[in-house]
Amino acid sequence: MKAVGKISLFFICGMILFGSGVYAGSLCEKWFYPNRNISQKEVPERRTESKKSEYVPEMKPYEAQESEEAEHIQVNQKDSEIITCDTVLEIEEYDKNLDSTVIHEEAVQGKYIGMDRTEFVESMDLYAMSPPLEEQKRGLISVEVLSFSRDRIHLRKDYQVVEAPAEPLFYLTAENHYVVVYEEDMQNVYLYTDILLEDLPASVQEEIIQKKLISGEGELYHFLESYSS
């Protein structure tokens, strides 16, 4: 019986010591690791709060986005309105002398490729101010850009030939054996000369008797100088 009592006492003492150790260990763990025993429910809540604090990009108002898109489209359209090698040049030529219009198409010259409307209009103004010799002969007086797009340009050119005044006409006849010059109407005497009809070659005398026609003052004075004494 004494042996059993000793064993029971030993066992009880051991349990007391084990329990004391466990309790002391628990106290130490709480002291050194105070946040270890947070419940699992608190963890998702903290994660949720952290998600709320994440950066969210600021959304622009719909009107602002639409305005930017429209501006972008306008810029692209403006950039596209330039002359290319595929642009068709339609030229309308108006002749003021004949009051007639002719329209034809031709390829755009390489020096105009890449120009926008403003640049092309400026180049046409310079062209009208100093046209090529062929255009000058035709009487080019103005160039106007009627329409402009990437696909087609409508250009108008006005022409007017200023005709030089016609050369005056004169008639040579004989009066009192002297050569007399009349104007075209044969009513007014233009010049009395000291050239005797008899001093002229026979063929020339015959022309003057038949009223010789001379065009222009230059030719007239050349004739008179040739037969003056």
Side-chain angles (χ1 to χ4, degrees), residues 47-219:
R47 290 180 180 177
T48 303
E49 292 176 358
S50 64
K51 288 183 179 181
K52 290 182 181 180
S53 63
E54 291 180 357
Y55 172 75
V56 178
E58 182 181 357
M59 299 300 293
K60 295 183 179 180
Y62 175 76
E63 292 79 3
Q65 294 181 8
E66 186 178 24
S67 176
E68 290 183 359
E69 291 177 358
E71 183 179 355
H72 181 68
I73 292 174
Q74 290 177 358
V75 171
N76 288 341
Q77 288 178 346
K78 182 178 179 181
D79 292 341
S80 65
E81 294 301 315
I82 60 174
I83 300 175
T84 69
C85 58
D86 297 324
T87 304
V88 177
L89 183 60
E90 181 180 10
I91 301 178
E92 175 183 335
E93 298 181 348
Y94 174 66
D95 190 328
K96 289 190 173 183
N97 296 104
L98 302 176
D99 192 21
S100 62
T101 301
V102 177
I103 299 177
H104 67 278
E105 296 180 356
E106 63 182 46
V108 176
Q109 297 183 23
K111 62 182 179 180
Y112 300 127
I113 294 177
M115 290 186 177
D116 57 19
R117 183 187 181 98
T118 301
E119 294 170 334
F120 185 69
V121 170
E122 291 176 354
S123 66
M124 289 298 99
D125 290 341
L126 294 175
Y127 182 89
M129 292 175 59
S130 181
L133 180 59
E134 181 180 353
E135 293 279 54
Q136 293 181 27
K137 291 180 178 179
R138 295 182 59 190
L140 179 68
I141 57 176
S142 65
V143 179
E144 182 181 2
V145 180
L146 299 181
S147 65
F148 183 96
S149 70
R150 184 185 184 90
D151 299 325
R152 179 177 293 269
I153 298 173
H154 189 180
L155 193 67
R156 176 188 169 104
K157 294 182 178 180
D158 289 349
Y159 296 89
Q160 184 176 23
V161 177
V162 180
E163 297 180 356
E167 291 284 347
L169 299 178
F170 302 97
Y171 286 98
L172 275 63
T173 186
E175 293 182 0
N176 299 323
H177 304 283
Y178 285 93
V179 176
V180 179
V181 181
Y182 278 85
E183 294 180 0
E184 184 179 1
D185 58 6
M186 284 298 295
Q187 301 296 321
N188 300 312
V189 175
Y190 180 77
L191 181 67
Y192 290 100
T193 73
D194 58 356
I195 301 173
L196 284 169
L197 182 63
E198 291 80 1
D199 293 340
L200 300 176
S203 59
V204 177
Q205 292 183 35
E206 184 65 25
E207 290 179 352
I208 293 177
I209 293 173
Q210 299 296 328
K211 296 179 181 177
K212 179 179 175 62
L213 177 64
I214 290 182
S215 176
E217 291 183 345
E219 185 178 348

